[in-house]
Every structure is written in structure tokens, then in C-alpha cells.
Coordinates of all heavy atoms in Angstrom, one line a residue:
M1 N 23.9 72.3 42.9 CA 23.4 72.4 44.2 C 24.1 71.4 45.1 O 24.3 70.3 44.8 CB 21.9 72.1 44.2 CG 21.1 72.4 45.5 SD 19.4 72.4 45.3 CE 19.0 73.8 44.2
K2 N 24.6 71.9 46.3 CA 25.4 71.1 47.2 C 24.5 70.6 48.3 O 23.9 71.4 49.0 CB 26.5 72.0 47.7 CG 27.5 71.2 48.6 CD 28.7 72.0 49.0 CE 29.6 71.3 49.9 NZ 30.3 70.2 49.4
I3 N 24.6 69.3 48.6 CA 23.9 68.7 49.7 C 24.7 68.9 50.9 O 25.8 68.4 51.0 CB 23.6 67.2 49.4 CG1 22.7 67.1 48.1 CG2 23.0 66.5 50.6 CD1 22.5 65.7 47.6
I4 N 24.1 69.5 51.9 CA 24.9 69.8 53.1 C 24.4 69.1 54.4 O 25.0 69.1 55.4 CB 25.0 71.3 53.4 CG1 23.6 71.9 53.6 CG2 25.7 72.0 52.3 CD1 23.6 73.3 54.1
K5 N 23.2 68.5 54.3 CA 22.6 67.7 55.4 C 21.7 66.6 54.9 O 21.4 66.6 53.8 CB 21.9 68.7 56.4 CG 20.7 69.3 55.8 CD 20.0 70.2 56.8 CE 18.7 70.8 56.2 NZ 18.0 71.6 57.1
E6 N 21.4 65.7 55.8 CA 20.4 64.7 55.5 C 19.0 65.2 55.4 O 18.6 66.1 56.1 CB 20.5 63.5 56.5 CG 21.8 62.8 56.5 CD 21.8 61.6 57.5 OE1 20.8 61.3 58.0 OE2 22.9 61.1 57.7
A7 N 18.2 64.6 54.5 CA 16.8 65.0 54.3 C 16.0 63.9 53.7 O 16.6 63.0 53.1 CB 16.7 66.2 53.4
L8 N 14.7 63.9 54.0 CA 13.8 62.9 53.5 C 12.6 63.6 52.8 O 12.3 64.7 53.1 CB 13.2 62.1 54.7 CG 14.1 61.3 55.5 CD1 13.3 60.8 56.7 CD2 14.6 60.1 54.8
A9 N 12.0 62.9 51.9 CA 10.8 63.3 51.3 C 10.0 62.1 50.8 O 10.6 61.1 50.3 CB 11.0 64.2 50.0
G10 N 8.7 62.1 51.1 CA 7.8 61.0 50.6 C 7.4 60.1 51.8 O 7.6 60.4 52.9
T11 N 6.7 59.0 51.4 CA 6.2 58.0 52.3 C 6.4 56.6 51.8 O 6.9 56.4 50.6 CB 4.7 58.2 52.5 OG1 4.0 57.8 51.3 CG2 4.4 59.6 52.9
F12 N 6.1 55.6 52.6 CA 6.1 54.2 52.2 C 4.8 53.7 51.7 O 4.6 52.5 51.5 CB 6.6 53.3 53.3 CG 8.1 53.3 53.5 CD1 8.6 53.7 54.7 CD2 8.9 52.8 52.5 CE1 10.0 53.7 54.9 CE2 10.3 52.8 52.7 CZ 10.9 53.2 53.9
E13 N 3.9 54.6 51.4 CA 2.5 54.3 51.0 C 2.6 53.7 49.5 O 3.5 54.0 48.8 CB 1.6 55.5 51.0 CG 1.4 56.0 52.4 CD 0.7 55.1 53.4 OE1 -0.3 54.4 52.9 OE2 1.1 55.0 54.5
S14 N 1.6 53.0 49.2 CA 1.4 52.5 47.8 C 1.4 53.7 46.8 O 0.8 54.7 47.1 CB 0.2 51.7 47.7 OG 0.0 51.2 46.4
S15 N 2.0 53.6 45.7 CA 2.1 54.6 44.6 C 2.9 55.8 45.0 O 2.7 56.9 44.5 CB 0.7 55.0 44.2 OG 0.0 53.9 43.6
D16 N 3.7 55.7 46.0 CA 4.6 56.8 46.5 C 6.0 56.2 46.6 O 6.3 55.1 46.2 CB 4.1 57.3 47.8 CG 4.6 58.7 48.1 OD1 5.4 59.3 47.3 OD2 4.2 59.3 49.1
L17 N 6.9 57.0 47.1 CA 8.3 56.6 47.4 C 8.9 57.4 48.4 O 8.4 58.5 48.7 CB 9.1 56.6 46.1 CG 9.5 58.0 45.5 CD1 10.8 57.8 44.7 CD2 8.4 58.5 44.7
L18 N 9.9 56.9 49.1 CA 10.6 57.7 50.1 C 12.0 57.9 49.5 O 12.7 57.0 49.1 CB 10.7 56.9 51.4 CG 11.4 57.6 52.6 CD1 10.6 58.8 53.0 CD2 11.6 56.6 53.7
V19 N 12.4 59.2 49.5 CA 13.7 59.6 49.0 C 14.6 60.0 50.2 O 14.1 60.9 51.0 CB 13.7 60.7 48.0 CG1 15.0 61.1 47.5 CG2 12.8 60.2 46.8
K20 N 15.7 59.4 50.4 CA 16.7 59.8 51.5 C 17.9 60.4 50.8 O 18.4 59.8 49.9 CB 17.1 58.6 52.3 CG 15.9 57.9 52.9 CD 16.4 56.6 53.6 CE 15.2 55.7 53.9 NZ 15.6 54.4 54.3
V21 N 18.3 61.6 51.3 CA 19.5 62.3 50.7 C 20.5 62.6 51.8 O 20.1 63.0 52.9 CB 19.0 63.6 50.0 CG1 20.2 64.4 49.5 CG2 18.0 63.3 48.9
A22 N 21.7 62.3 51.5 CA 22.8 62.6 52.5 C 24.0 63.1 51.8 O 24.3 62.8 50.6 CB 23.1 61.3 53.3
P23 N 24.8 63.9 52.5 CA 26.1 64.4 51.9 C 27.1 63.3 51.7 O 27.1 62.4 52.5 CB 26.6 65.5 52.9 CG 25.7 65.4 54.0 CD 24.6 64.5 53.8
A24 N 27.9 63.4 50.7 CA 29.0 62.5 50.4 C 30.0 63.2 49.6 O 29.7 63.8 48.5 CB 28.5 61.2 49.7
A25 N 31.2 63.2 50.0 CA 32.3 63.9 49.4 C 32.8 63.2 48.1 O 33.1 62.0 48.2 CB 33.4 64.2 50.3
G26 N 32.8 63.9 47.0 CA 33.5 63.5 45.8 C 32.7 62.6 44.9 O 33.2 62.3 43.8
E27 N 31.6 62.0 45.3 CA 30.9 61.1 44.4 C 29.3 61.2 44.6 O 28.9 61.7 45.6 CB 31.3 59.7 44.6 CG 31.0 59.1 45.9 CD 31.4 57.7 46.1 OE1 32.0 57.1 45.1 OE2 31.2 57.1 47.1
L28 N 28.7 60.8 43.5 CA 27.2 60.7 43.6 C 26.8 59.3 43.5 O 27.2 58.6 42.5 CB 26.6 61.5 42.4 CG 25.1 61.5 42.3 CD1 24.4 62.2 43.5 CD2 24.6 62.2 41.0
T29 N 26.1 58.8 44.5 CA 25.7 57.4 44.6 C 24.2 57.4 44.6 O 23.6 58.1 45.5 CB 26.2 56.7 45.8 OG1 27.7 56.8 45.8 CG2 25.8 55.3 45.9
V30 N 23.6 56.7 43.7 CA 22.1 56.5 43.7 C 21.8 55.1 43.9 O 22.2 54.2 43.1 CB 21.5 57.1 42.3 CG1 20.0 56.9 42.3 CG2 21.9 58.5 42.1
V31 N 20.9 54.8 44.9 CA 20.5 53.4 45.2 C 19.0 53.4 45.0 O 18.3 54.2 45.6 CB 20.9 53.0 46.6 CG1 20.4 51.6 46.9 CG2 22.4 53.0 46.8
I32 N 18.5 52.5 44.2 CA 17.0 52.4 44.0 C 16.6 51.0 44.4 O 17.0 50.0 43.9 CB 16.7 52.6 42.5 CG1 17.1 54.0 42.1 CG2 15.2 52.4 42.3 CD1 17.0 54.3 40.6
N33 N 15.6 51.0 45.3 CA 14.9 49.8 45.8 C 13.4 50.0 45.3 O 12.8 51.0 45.6 CB 14.9 49.7 47.3 CG 16.4 49.7 47.8 OD1 17.2 48.9 47.3 ND2 16.7 50.5 48.8
S34 N 12.9 49.0 44.6 CA 11.5 49.1 44.1 C 10.9 47.7 44.0 O 11.5 46.7 43.7 CB 11.5 49.8 42.8 OG 10.2 49.8 42.2
E35 N 9.6 47.8 44.3 CA 8.8 46.6 44.1 C 8.6 46.2 42.6 O 8.3 45.1 42.2 CB 7.4 46.8 44.7 CG 7.4 46.9 46.2 CD 6.0 47.2 46.7 OE1 5.1 47.6 46.0 OE2 5.8 47.1 48.0
V36 N 8.8 47.2 41.7 CA 8.6 47.0 40.3 C 9.9 47.3 39.5 O 9.9 47.7 38.4 CB 7.5 48.0 39.8 CG1 6.2 47.6 40.3 CG2 7.8 49.4 40.1
I37 N 11.0 46.9 40.2 CA 12.4 47.2 39.6 C 12.6 46.5 38.3 O 13.2 47.0 37.3 CB 13.5 47.0 40.6 CG1 14.8 47.6 40.1 CG2 13.7 45.5 40.8 CD1 15.1 48.9 40.6
K38 N 12.0 45.3 38.1 CA 12.2 44.5 36.9 C 11.5 45.2 35.7 O 12.0 45.2 34.6 CB 11.8 43.1 37.1 CG 12.7 42.3 38.0 CD 12.2 40.8 38.1 CE 13.2 40.1 39.0 NZ 12.8 38.7 39.1
Q39 N 10.3 45.7 36.0 CA 9.6 46.3 34.9 C 10.0 47.8 34.6 O 10.1 48.2 33.5 CB 8.1 46.3 35.2 CG 7.5 44.9 35.2 CD 7.3 44.5 36.7 OE1 8.1 44.9 37.6 NE2 6.4 43.6 36.9
F40 N 10.3 48.5 35.7 CA 10.4 50.0 35.5 C 11.7 50.5 36.1 O 11.9 51.7 36.2 CB 9.2 50.7 36.2 CG 7.9 50.3 35.6 CD1 7.0 49.5 36.3 CD2 7.6 50.7 34.3 CE1 5.8 49.2 35.8 CE2 6.3 50.4 33.8 CZ 5.4 49.6 34.5
G41 N 12.7 49.7 36.4 CA 13.9 50.1 37.0 C 14.7 51.1 36.2 O 15.2 52.1 36.8
E42 N 14.8 50.9 34.9 CA 15.5 51.8 34.1 C 14.9 53.2 34.0 O 15.5 54.2 34.0 CB 15.7 51.2 32.7 CG 16.7 50.1 32.6 CD 18.1 50.5 33.1 OE1 18.6 51.6 32.7 OE2 18.7 49.8 33.9
Q43 N 13.5 53.1 33.9 CA 12.8 54.4 33.9 C 12.9 55.2 35.2 O 13.1 56.4 35.2 CB 11.3 54.1 33.6 CG 10.4 55.4 33.5 CD 10.8 56.3 32.4 OE1 11.4 55.9 31.4 NE2 10.4 57.6 32.5
I44 N 12.8 54.5 36.3 CA 13.0 55.2 37.6 C 14.4 55.8 37.7 O 14.5 56.9 38.1 CB 12.8 54.1 38.7 CG1 11.3 53.6 38.8 CG2 13.1 54.8 40.1 CD1 11.1 52.4 39.6
K45 N 15.4 55.0 37.3 CA 16.8 55.5 37.4 C 16.9 56.7 36.5 O 17.6 57.7 36.8 CB 17.7 54.4 36.9 CG 19.2 54.8 37.0 CD 20.1 53.7 36.5 CE 20.3 52.7 37.5 NZ 21.3 51.7 37.2
Q46 N 16.4 56.7 35.3 CA 16.5 57.8 34.3 C 15.8 59.1 34.9 O 16.4 60.2 34.8 CB 15.8 57.5 33.0 CG 15.9 58.6 32.0 CD 15.2 58.2 30.7 OE1 14.9 57.0 30.4 NE2 15.0 59.2 29.8
V47 N 14.6 58.9 35.5 CA 13.9 60.1 36.1 C 14.7 60.7 37.2 O 14.9 61.9 37.3 CB 12.5 59.7 36.5 CG1 11.9 60.9 37.3 CG2 11.7 59.4 35.3
V48 N 15.3 59.8 38.1 CA 16.1 60.3 39.2 C 17.3 61.0 38.7 O 17.6 62.1 39.2 CB 16.4 59.1 40.2 CG1 17.5 59.5 41.2 CG2 15.2 58.6 40.8
N49 N 18.0 60.4 37.8 CA 19.3 61.0 37.3 C 19.0 62.3 36.6 O 19.8 63.3 36.7 CB 20.0 60.0 36.4 CG 20.7 58.9 37.2 OD1 21.0 59.1 38.4 ND2 20.8 57.8 36.6
E50 N 18.0 62.4 35.8 CA 17.6 63.6 35.1 C 17.3 64.7 36.0 O 17.7 65.9 35.9 CB 16.5 63.4 34.1 CG 16.8 62.6 32.9 CD 15.6 62.3 32.0 OE1 14.5 62.6 32.4 OE2 15.8 61.7 30.9
T51 N 16.6 64.4 37.1 CA 16.2 65.4 38.1 C 17.4 65.9 38.9 O 17.5 67.1 39.1 CB 15.1 64.8 39.1 OG1 14.0 64.3 38.4 CG2 14.7 65.8 40.1
L52 N 18.3 65.0 39.2 CA 19.5 65.4 39.9 C 20.4 66.3 39.0 O 20.9 67.3 39.5 CB 20.3 64.2 40.4 CG 19.6 63.3 41.5 CD1 20.4 62.0 41.7 CD2 19.5 64.1 42.8
A53 N 20.5 65.9 37.8 CA 21.2 66.7 36.8 C 20.6 68.1 36.6 O 21.4 69.1 36.6 CB 21.3 66.0 35.5
A54 N 19.3 68.2 36.5 CA 18.7 69.5 36.4 C 18.9 70.4 37.6 O 19.0 71.6 37.5 CB 17.2 69.3 36.2
L55 N 19.0 69.8 38.8 CA 19.3 70.5 40.0 C 20.8 70.8 40.2 O 21.1 71.5 41.2 CB 18.7 69.8 41.2 CG 17.2 69.7 41.3 CD1 16.7 68.7 42.3 CD2 16.5 71.1 41.5
G56 N 21.6 70.2 39.4 CA 23.0 70.5 39.5 C 23.7 69.7 40.7 O 24.7 70.1 41.2
V57 N 23.1 68.5 41.1 CA 23.6 67.7 42.1 C 24.7 66.8 41.6 O 24.5 66.0 40.7 CB 22.5 66.9 42.8 CG1 23.1 66.0 43.9 CG2 21.5 67.8 43.4
T58 N 26.0 66.9 42.1 CA 27.1 66.1 41.6 C 27.7 65.3 42.7 O 28.5 64.4 42.4 CB 28.2 67.0 41.0 OG1 28.6 67.9 42.0 CG2 27.6 67.7 39.7
E59 N 27.3 65.5 43.9 CA 27.8 64.8 45.1 C 26.7 64.5 46.0 O 25.8 65.3 46.2 CB 28.9 65.6 45.8 CG 30.1 65.9 45.1 CD 31.2 66.7 45.9 OE1 30.8 67.1 47.0 OE2 32.3 66.8 45.5
G60 N 26.8 63.3 46.6 CA 25.8 62.9 47.6 C 25.4 61.5 47.5 O 25.7 60.8 46.6
T61 N 24.6 61.0 48.5 CA 24.0 59.7 48.4 C 22.5 59.8 48.4 O 21.9 60.5 49.2 CB 24.4 58.9 49.7 OG1 25.9 58.8 49.7 CG2 23.8 57.5 49.7
I62 N 21.9 59.2 47.4 CA 20.5 59.3 47.2 C 20.0 57.9 47.3 O 20.4 57.0 46.5 CB 20.1 59.9 45.8 CG1 21.0 61.1 45.4 CG2 18.6 60.1 45.7 CD1 20.8 62.3 46.3
I63 N 19.0 57.6 48.2 CA 18.4 56.3 48.3 C 16.9 56.5 48.0 O 16.2 57.3 48.7 CB 18.6 55.7 49.7 CG1 20.1 55.6 50.0 CG2 17.9 54.4 49.8 CD1 20.5 55.2 51.4
V64 N 16.4 55.7 47.1 CA 15.0 55.8 46.7 C 14.4 54.4 47.0 O 14.8 53.4 46.5 CB 14.9 56.0 45.1 CG1 13.5 56.0 44.7 CG2 15.6 57.4 44.8
D65 N 13.3 54.5 47.8 CA 12.5 53.3 48.2 C 11.2 53.5 47.5 O 10.3 54.2 48.1 CB 12.4 53.1 49.7 CG 13.7 52.7 50.3 OD1 14.4 51.8 49.8 OD2 14.1 53.4 51.3
D66 N 11.0 52.8 46.4 CA 9.8 53.1 45.5 C 8.7 52.0 45.8 O 9.0 50.9 46.0 CB 10.2 53.0 44.1 CG 9.0 53.1 43.1 OD1 8.3 54.1 43.2 OD2 8.8 52.1 42.3
K67 N 7.5 52.5 45.8 CA 6.3 51.6 46.0 C 5.4 51.8 44.8 O 4.2 51.7 44.9 CB 5.6 52.0 47.3 CG 6.4 51.8 48.5 CD 6.6 50.3 48.8 CE 7.4 50.2 50.1 NZ 7.8 48.8 50.4
G68 N 5.9 52.0 43.6 CA 5.1 52.1 42.4 C 4.7 53.5 42.0 O 3.6 53.7 41.4
A69 N 5.6 54.4 42.3 CA 5.2 55.8 42.0 C 5.3 56.2 40.5 O 6.2 55.6 39.8 CB 6.2 56.8 42.8
L70 N 4.5 57.1 40.1 CA 4.6 57.6 38.7 C 5.8 58.6 38.6 O 6.4 59.1 39.6 CB 3.3 58.4 38.4 CG 2.0 57.6 38.4 CD1 0.8 58.6 38.2 CD2 2.0 56.5 37.3
D71 N 6.2 58.8 37.4 CA 7.4 59.7 37.1 C 7.3 61.1 37.7 O 8.2 61.6 38.3 CB 7.6 59.9 35.6 CG 8.1 58.6 34.9 OD1 8.3 57.6 35.6 OD2 8.2 58.7 33.7
C72 N 6.1 61.7 37.7 CA 5.9 63.0 38.3 C 6.1 63.0 39.8 O 6.6 63.9 40.3 CB 4.5 63.6 37.9 SG 3.1 62.6 38.4
V73 N 5.7 61.9 40.4 CA 5.9 61.8 41.9 C 7.3 61.6 42.2 O 7.9 62.2 43.1 CB 5.0 60.6 42.4 CG1 5.3 60.4 43.9 CG2 3.5 60.8 42.1
I74 N 8.0 60.7 41.4 CA 9.5 60.5 41.6 C 10.2 61.8 41.5 O 11.0 62.2 42.4 CB 10.0 59.5 40.6 CG1 9.4 58.1 40.8 CG2 11.5 59.4 40.7 CD1 9.6 57.2 39.6
R75 N 9.9 62.6 40.5 CA 10.6 63.9 40.2 C 10.3 64.8 41.4 O 11.2 65.5 41.9 CB 10.1 64.5 38.9 CG 10.9 65.6 38.4 CD 10.4 66.1 37.0 NE 10.7 65.0 36.0 CZ 9.8 64.3 35.4 NH1 8.5 64.5 35.7 NH2 10.1 63.4 34.5
A76 N 9.1 64.9 41.8 CA 8.7 65.8 42.9 C 9.4 65.5 44.2 O 9.9 66.3 45.0 CB 7.2 65.9 43.1
R77 N 9.4 64.2 44.5 CA 10.0 63.7 45.8 C 11.6 63.9 45.8 O 12.1 64.3 46.8 CB 9.7 62.2 46.1 CG 8.3 61.9 46.3 CD 7.7 62.7 47.4 NE 6.4 62.1 47.7 CZ 5.5 62.7 48.5 NH1 5.8 63.9 49.0 NH2 4.3 62.2 48.8
V78 N 12.2 63.7 44.7 CA 13.6 63.9 44.6 C 13.9 65.4 44.7 O 14.8 65.8 45.5 CB 14.2 63.3 43.3 CG1 15.7 63.8 43.1 CG2 14.1 61.8 43.2
Q79 N 13.2 66.2 44.0 CA 13.3 67.7 44.1 C 13.2 68.1 45.6 O 14.0 68.9 46.1 CB 12.3 68.4 43.3 CG 12.6 68.3 41.8 CD 11.5 68.8 40.9 OE1 10.4 69.2 41.4 NE2 11.7 68.9 39.6
S80 N 12.1 67.7 46.2 CA 11.9 68.1 47.6 C 13.0 67.7 48.6 O 13.4 68.5 49.4 CB 10.5 67.5 48.1 OG 9.5 68.0 47.4
A81 N 13.4 66.4 48.5 CA 14.5 66.0 49.3 C 15.8 66.8 49.1 O 16.5 67.1 50.1 CB 14.7 64.5 49.1
V82 N 16.1 67.0 47.8 CA 17.4 67.7 47.5 C 17.3 69.2 48.0 O 18.2 69.7 48.6 CB 17.7 67.7 46.0 CG1 18.8 68.7 45.6 CG2 18.1 66.3 45.6
L83 N 16.2 69.8 47.8 CA 16.0 71.2 48.3 C 16.1 71.3 49.8 O 16.7 72.2 50.3 CB 14.7 71.8 47.8 CG 14.6 72.1 46.3 CD1 13.2 72.5 45.9 CD2 15.6 73.1 45.9
R84 N 15.5 70.3 50.5 CA 15.7 70.3 52.0 C 17.1 70.0 52.4 O 17.6 70.6 53.3 CB 14.8 69.2 52.5 CG 13.3 69.5 52.4 CD 12.4 68.3 52.9 NE 11.0 68.7 52.7 CZ 10.1 67.8 52.7 NH1 10.3 66.5 52.9 NH2 8.8 68.1 52.5
A85 N 17.8 69.1 51.7 CA 19.2 68.8 52.0 C 20.1 69.9 51.7 O 21.2 70.1 52.3 CB 19.6 67.5 51.3
A86 N 19.8 70.7 50.7 CA 20.7 71.9 50.3 C 20.5 73.0 51.3 O 21.4 73.9 51.4 CB 20.4 72.3 48.9
D87 N 19.4 73.1 52.0 CA 19.1 74.1 53.0 C 19.2 75.5 52.4 O 20.0 76.3 52.9 CB 19.9 73.9 54.2 CG 19.4 74.7 55.4 OD1 18.1 74.9 55.4 OD2 20.1 75.1 56.3
T88 N 18.6 75.7 51.2 CA 18.7 76.9 50.5 C 17.4 77.7 50.6 O 16.3 77.1 50.7 CB 19.1 76.7 49.0 OG1 19.2 78.0 48.4 CG2 18.1 75.9 48.3
D89 N 17.5 79.0 50.6 CA 16.4 79.9 50.6 C 16.0 80.4 49.2 O 14.9 80.9 48.9 CB 16.6 81.1 51.5 CG 16.7 80.7 52.9 OD1 16.1 79.8 53.4 OD2 17.4 81.5 53.7
V90 N 17.0 80.2 48.3 CA 16.8 80.6 46.9 C 16.5 79.4 46.0 O 17.3 78.5 45.9 CB 18.0 81.3 46.4 CG1 17.8 81.7 44.9 CG2 18.4 82.5 47.2
I91 N 15.3 79.4 45.5 CA 14.9 78.2 44.6 C 14.8 78.7 43.2 O 14.2 79.7 42.9 CB 13.5 77.7 45.0 CG1 13.6 77.1 46.4 CG2 13.1 76.6 44.0 CD1 12.3 76.7 47.0
E92 N 15.6 78.1 42.3 CA 15.6 78.4 40.9 C 14.5 77.6 40.2 O 14.7 76.5 39.7 CB 16.9 78.1 40.3 CG 18.1 78.9 40.9 CD 19.4 78.6 40.3 OE1 19.5 78.4 39.0 OE2 20.4 78.5 41.0
W93 N 13.3 78.2 40.2 CA 12.1 77.6 39.8 C 12.2 77.0 38.3 O 11.6 76.0 38.0 CB 10.9 78.5 39.9 CG 10.6 78.8 41.3 CD1 10.8 79.9 42.0 CD2 10.0 77.9 42.3 NE1 10.4 79.8 43.3 CE2 9.9 78.6 43.5 CE3 9.5 76.6 42.3 CZ2 9.4 78.0 44.7 CZ3 9.0 76.0 43.4 CH2 9.0 76.7 44.6
E94 N 12.9 77.7 37.5 CA 13.0 77.3 36.1 C 13.7 75.9 35.9 O 13.5 75.2 34.9 CB 13.7 78.3 35.2 CG 15.1 78.6 35.6 CD 15.3 79.6 36.7 OE1 14.3 80.1 37.2 OE2 16.5 79.9 37.1
K95 N 14.5 75.5 36.9 CA 15.1 74.2 36.9 C 14.2 73.1 37.3 O 14.5 71.9 37.0 CB 16.4 74.2 37.8 CG 17.5 75.0 37.3 CD 18.7 74.9 38.2 CE 19.9 75.7 37.7 NZ 21.0 75.5 38.6
L96 N 13.1 73.4 38.0 CA 12.2 72.4 38.4 C 11.1 72.2 37.4 O 10.4 73.2 37.0 CB 11.6 72.8 39.7 CG 12.5 73.2 40.9 CD1 11.8 73.6 42.1 CD2 13.4 72.0 41.2
S97 N 10.9 71.0 36.9 CA 9.9 70.8 35.8 C 8.8 70.0 36.3 O 8.8 69.3 37.3 CB 10.5 70.1 34.6 OG 11.2 68.9 35.0

């Protein structure tokens, strides 16, 4: 999936996160800011990377501002932001878990 425009998903509320997605040529950059980075940083990074891989995202800038979200919320917010940024009308539902 190709990111063609900037998009957001989520909030800064407790137990949520804000995901910002922007196009970037040639590389995939993921930046994670979290209140619980010391305890759950690796898990957050793994969920974000697995979600991006499932969606076929290989280029772009992804910024995650986490406020203690669960894995299912992280996955949903990343999916929403990427789908908005790809500006696609065709959603391959089997790729979304």
C-alpha cells in the first residue's frame, strides 16, 4: 500500500494513541513516543511493524504518540491512518486483523 498524503488517526486521551502518517520516498521511518516506552516499547514497535507489513507499507513516515494503548488499539489506529493516507476505495479486509 502506497502512502500518498498525510493522515491522522486517534487522540491524545489516556489509553489511546495518535498516529501520524506521511509520504516519504525510498524509506520507512517509524518514530514511537510513549509514556510507557521503558516497559512496553518493544511490544509497541512490534505491533506497529507487523501492522505495516500486513498492509504492505514499505515507504513513509509513521509517528506514534502513545498514551498507554492496548495492542488492539495500536493496530486499529495504524490501520486507520494508513488507509486514510493511501486514499484507497478498495480495502483488502483479509489483511486487517
Side-chain angles (χ1 to χ4, degrees):
M1 192 168 289
K2 184 172 176 72
I3 296 172
I4 59 172
K5 66 180 185 177
E6 293 184 9
L8 299 171
T11 68
F12 280 119
E13 300 293 321
S14 180
S15 300
D16 201 354
L17 70 158
L18 183 67
V19 178
K20 303 172 196 170
V21 178
E27 66 180 0
L28 178 63
T29 305
V30 178
V31 177
I32 298 174
N33 304 309
S34 176
E35 295 176 344
V36 292
I37 195 96
K38 289 185 180 180
Q39 294 98 334
F40 300 108
E42 288 302 315
Q43 179 65 20
I44 295 168
K45 182 183 281 189
Q46 180 180 346
V47 172
V48 170
N49 288 333
E50 286 174 356
T51 304
L52 293 172
L55 293 169
V57 175
T58 58
E59 295 181 349
T61 300
I62 316 297
I63 300 172
V64 176
D65 291 311
D66 175 57
K67 299 291 183 185
L70 297 173
D71 290 357
C72 58
V73 176
I74 297 168
R75 192 172 295 108
R77 297 299 192 196
V78 171
Q79 290 171 350
S80 296
V82 168
L83 290 172
R84 290 173 183 166
D87 199 27
T88 182
D89 292 331
V90 179
I91 299 173
E92 298 179 40
W93 293 106
E94 63 276 0
K95 290 185 178 181
L96 307 178
S97 55

